[in-house]
Amino acid sequence: MKLRKVSAAAATALVLALTATACGGDDGDSGDTGSGSGGGDKIKVGIKYDQPGLGLKEPDGSFSGFDVDVATYVAKELGYEPDQIEFVETKSADRENALARGDVKFIAATYSINDERAKKVDFAGPYLLAHQDLLVKSDSDITEATDLNDKNLCSVVGSTSAQNVHDDFAPKANLKELSGYSECISGLQAGSVDALTTDDSILAGFAAQEQYKGKFKLTGLKLSNENYGIGVKKGDTETVNKINAALEKMVSDKSWQKAVDDNLGPAGYKNEPAPKIGNIVK
């Protein structure tokens, strides 16, 4: 009788231990790039929430945009269905930290590849070549970057766009760094900002929104080349290689061009040809 009680207690302890182990495994696997077929496994992907045409959280909680389509395609190739993807907002200033902390498995968020960022994260891609441009009011007389001297130029915290214009074209420009592009757009509309600078793909997405149609225009300046990469935690070469393979497939099966046309075409955006995947041009 005593032996039976001891066995029951041992069995109970074993069940509890196995349960705790299973729960711990679920937490640890949330960002795995495995097959995605193991029950409730999910993958966390960093995107922007406030970039129409690229990464936007819709009022109903869904997500839209070119980066969202690219991320969904890549996740599918990594073994995850759309309902297994958890999109996490990653603002420009926090992208490197989000990857280092393991908050997300990869980031597709208009993430331009440059030397400084490549010291902290690894990049797959590039998957889009954009160009820095200016967005101004439709009646603005700003046509060149040098016109920004003594004017208010807006971009977001963590972006290099405004600093590039200041350093290379308009050293007397007044730089305003706000937390998101929506705030810059509001300032542009209100007149507290004279121009918003970032990539033409991002600007085209905003200009195409129904509430802004006819109010803003792109100056058409190609102030820089911006190669968008998919950010991955430093040292995770396996994931970089898998993502590169997924991007190559996306280009070859025409899904890439369809995503560009569906999301940016309505703004009249003329995309460059798909970059050579794995050719990290900074």
Side-chain angles (χ1 to χ4, degrees), residues 149-222:
N149 281 309
D150 299 318
K151 295 188 183 297
N152 294 322
L153 175 63
C154 190
S155 193
V156 301
V157 176
S159 172
T160 59
S161 300
Q163 193 64 50
N164 289 342
V165 173
H166 180 273
D167 292 347
D168 297 336
F169 303 101
K172 294 182 180 179
N174 303 314
L175 303 187
K176 285 195 170 186
E177 288 188 312
L178 301 181
S179 61
Y181 293 108
S182 297
E183 287 88 345
C184 285
I185 287 284
S186 297
L188 185 59
Q189 192 169 16
S192 60
V193 168
D194 297 298
L196 161 59
T197 186
T198 188
D199 305 344
D200 52 8
S201 55
I202 298 173
L203 298 175
F206 276 107
Q209 285 189 291
E210 190 64 35
Q211 68 266 37
Y212 298 136
K213 282 185 178 178
K215 295 183 178 180
F216 306 122
K217 64 181 179 182
L218 290 165
T219 58
L221 302 175
K222 294 184 177 181

Side-chain angles (χ1 to χ4, degrees), residues 77-215:
E77 291 301 303
L78 295 180
Y80 296 88
E81 296 300 323
D83 63 356
Q84 293 177 292
I85 303 171
E86 180 181 343
F87 287 117
V88 178
E89 183 178 24
T90 49
K91 292 184 179 294
S92 295
D94 195 45
R95 287 178 296 204
E96 288 82 23
N97 291 332
L99 287 169
R101 291 191 303 260
D103 295 348
V104 293
K105 190 64 178 179
F106 66 84
I107 293 176
T110 58
Y111 204 177
S112 296
I113 301 167
N114 63 37
D115 289 332
E116 193 61 32
R117 290 168 180 165
K119 294 176 183 176
K120 302 174 183 177
V121 303
D122 285 338
F123 284 101
Y127 65 95
L128 184 72
L129 173 58
H131 302 285
Q132 186 178 345
D133 200 357
L134 304 176
L135 186 70
V136 297
K137 281 190 172 181
S138 56
D139 60 354
S140 174
D141 58 359
I142 296 173
T143 59
E144 300 290 341
T146 52
D147 295 334
L148 292 167
N149 281 309
D150 299 318
K151 295 188 183 297
N152 294 322
L153 175 63
C154 190
S155 193
V156 301
V157 176
S159 172
T160 59
S161 300
Q163 193 64 50
N164 289 342
V165 173
H166 180 273
D167 292 347
D168 297 336
F169 303 101
K172 294 182 180 179
N174 303 314
L175 303 187
K176 285 195 170 186
E177 288 188 312
L178 301 181
S179 61
Y181 293 108
S182 297
E183 287 88 345
C184 285
I185 287 284
S186 297
L188 185 59
Q189 192 169 16
S192 60
V193 168
D194 297 298
L196 161 59
T197 186
T198 188
D199 305 344
D200 52 8
S201 55
I202 298 173
L203 298 175
F206 276 107
Q209 285 189 291
E210 190 64 35
Q211 68 266 37
Y212 298 136
K213 282 185 178 178
K215 295 183 178 180

